[in-house]
Amino acid sequence: MQRPTMHDHHHDHDHDHHHAPAVGDRNERVVLLACLMTAGFMLAEVAGGILSGSLALIADAGHMLTDAAALALAWAAFRFGRRPGGPLRSFGERRFEVLAGFINALVLILLVAWIAYEAVLRLITPGTVLAGPMLVVAVLGLIVNGAVFWLLHRGDTDHVNIRGAMLHVAGDMLGSVAAILAAAIIWLTGWTAADPILSLLLSALILRAAWSLLKTSLNILMEGAPQGAEPQAVRDHLRKIDGVADVHHVHVWQITSGQVAATLHLRPTGDARAAVARVKEALRDEFRIGHSTVEIDWSGHDHGCTIRGDAHVH
């Protein structure tokens, strides 16, 4: 049998080989419509806050402004993601959406800090609030945010960008609920401290969600392996496959949300083509790695890897 050369690469060509899958029109339309709905009600909420004298409504309008900006960024990410790969960017611009998700998380964390600061100020110096108009606007805000959240849920929720937008809107929904409760308490008891206290509780919920999104997007940007496809776990599994003597130089990373790639060196015991086919099948079925590059190593020695780090297995 003629042996492949040391740098013989095998790619999976079961389907047309595209490094940058097309972004669905549906996601783009959903995000754009959600952005327009959010921005439209934001203006109405500002007006309601001014008329009622409610700082909470004005603050929630500021939250909706960040939501509109995040949704606009998400739309831009999907728009850029439709562009095909070029000579310098073979994977296209799909990672732009991960960057947008990372920015969304940072904005959420900054927003939490601002809400907490404003809540403390309102506890120290309570203001006069017209509970009736505040309640009406808050209820309308909950309805609009619920409609936007439902609309986004119809998109691809596996995308980091869609998740980021949904977290923003979920925060607004909780903000509307908090405003409704605060308006009801102020209406019944006149206790204006209810609003900043509920805002602090809301901040804790938003911070938890934002931290999770930040870790996920940062892991992708830092070329980290997704959970469940750690390089050591991949190597241990592949070494048990029939026809595989050893696997080393395993690198696993994500191009973008849901698009995982891997490269590795394979030392077969017999038929190299059969071993490669079994390895690729295992990567696809066990670890959801759709794009893999397998290099046949006939040397019998591990010469080390020029790329070293804790995320790689040699």
Side-chain angles (χ1 to χ4, degrees), residues 125-147:
T125 309
T128 301
V129 178
L130 300 179
M134 177 183 176
L135 181 62
V136 172
V137 175
V139 170
L140 291 176
L142 180 61
I143 294 174
V144 171
N145 287 322

Side-chain angles (χ1 to χ4, degrees), residues 161-174:
N161 223 24
I162 292 288
R163 286 177 54 204
M166 290 180 67
L167 284 175
H168 274 278
V169 177
D172 255 342
M173 290 176 65
L174 291 175

Side-chain angles (χ1 to χ4, degrees), residues 262-287:
T263 62
L264 59 93
H265 287 195
L266 169 65
R267 190 176 303 147
T269 58
D271 187 348
R273 292 185 181 276
V276 168
R278 285 191 287 267
V279 165
K280 283 183 170 290
E281 182 180 3
L283 290 173
R284 183 172 55 249
D285 296 343
E286 299 294 331
F287 301 100

Side-chain angles (χ1 to χ4, degrees), residues 2-314:
Q2 183 178 2
R3 300 195 310 182
T5 62
M6 278 291 295
H7 298 286
D8 185 27
H9 295 279
H10 297 265
H11 293 278
D12 189 357
H13 291 277
D14 293 339
H15 305 282
D16 291 340
H17 193 101
H18 297 291
H19 286 178
V23 178
D25 292 338
R26 181 179 180 180
N27 282 339
E28 186 177 335
R29 289 195 302 269
V30 162
V31 170
L32 179 59
L33 181 57
C35 178
L36 295 176
M37 291 174 62
T38 302
F41 188 78
M42 175 199 68
L43 298 177
E45 195 167 34
V46 169
I50 294 174
L51 292 175
S52 66
S54 172
L55 179 61
L57 288 181
I58 296 177
D60 193 50
H63 192 179
M64 293 193 75
L65 175 62
T66 64
D67 291 351
L71 288 166
L73 187 60
W75 176 82
F78 285 122
R79 194 71 174 177
F80 280 113
R82 295 171 64 87
R83 298 180 180 178
L88 297 180
R89 297 177 182 175
S90 60
F91 288 102
E93 300 183 7
R94 292 298 302 279
R95 186 158 286 193
F96 187 88
E97 69 181 57
V98 182
L99 180 60
F102 179 74
I103 294 175
N104 286 349
L106 291 180
V107 170
L108 279 169
I109 292 174
L110 292 175
L111 179 65
V112 165
W114 182 78
I115 291 175
Y117 173 76
E118 289 293 328
V120 171
L121 290 182
R122 293 189 65 187
L123 285 172
I124 296 174
T125 309
T128 301
V129 178
L130 300 179
M134 177 183 176
L135 181 62
V136 172
V137 175
V139 170
L140 291 176
L142 180 61
I143 294 174
V144 171
N145 287 322
V148 172
F149 188 86
W150 173 81
L151 186 65
L152 290 173
H153 196 268
R154 295 181 62 190
D156 186 359
T157 56
D158 287 336
H159 275 285
V160 168
N161 223 24
I162 292 288
R163 286 177 54 204
M166 290 180 67
L167 284 175
H168 274 278
V169 177
D172 255 342
M173 290 176 65
L174 291 175
S176 296
V177 172
I180 291 172
L181 291 176
I185 293 174
I186 294 172
W187 179 286
L188 296 174
T189 67
W191 187 48
T192 57
D195 190 16
I197 290 175
L198 288 173
S199 297
L200 288 173
L201 294 177
L202 171 64
S203 298
L205 295 176
I206 297 176
L207 182 61
R208 180 180 179 182
W211 182 250
S212 175
L213 177 62
L214 181 67
K215 290 193 299 182
T216 300
S217 56
L218 183 60
N219 184 61
I220 296 176
L221 292 174
M222 295 298 293
E223 306 283 357
Q227 186 176 5
E230 295 81 0
Q232 185 63 56
V234 171
R235 180 184 182 185
D236 291 343
H237 181 82
L238 296 182
R239 292 179 70 181
K240 300 176 183 178
I241 295 177
D242 182 37
V244 175
D246 189 26
V247 173
H248 50 278
H249 296 333
V250 179
H251 301 272
V252 182
W253 71 99
Q254 290 179 276
I255 305 302
T256 186
S257 180
Q259 299 291 328
V260 187
T263 62
L264 59 93
H265 287 195
L266 169 65
R267 190 176 303 147
T269 58
D271 187 348
R273 292 185 181 276
V276 168
R278 285 191 287 267
V279 165
K280 283 183 170 290
E281 182 180 3
L283 290 173
R284 183 172 55 249
D285 296 343
E286 299 294 331
F287 301 100
R288 297 184 179 180
I289 300 176
H291 178 87
S292 58
T293 301
V294 179
E295 180 175 329
I296 303 299
D297 181 5
W298 295 101
S299 67
H301 302 286
D302 185 351
H303 298 290
C305 183
T306 57
I307 303 177
R308 297 190 179 277
D310 294 336
H312 307 299
V313 178
H314 308 297

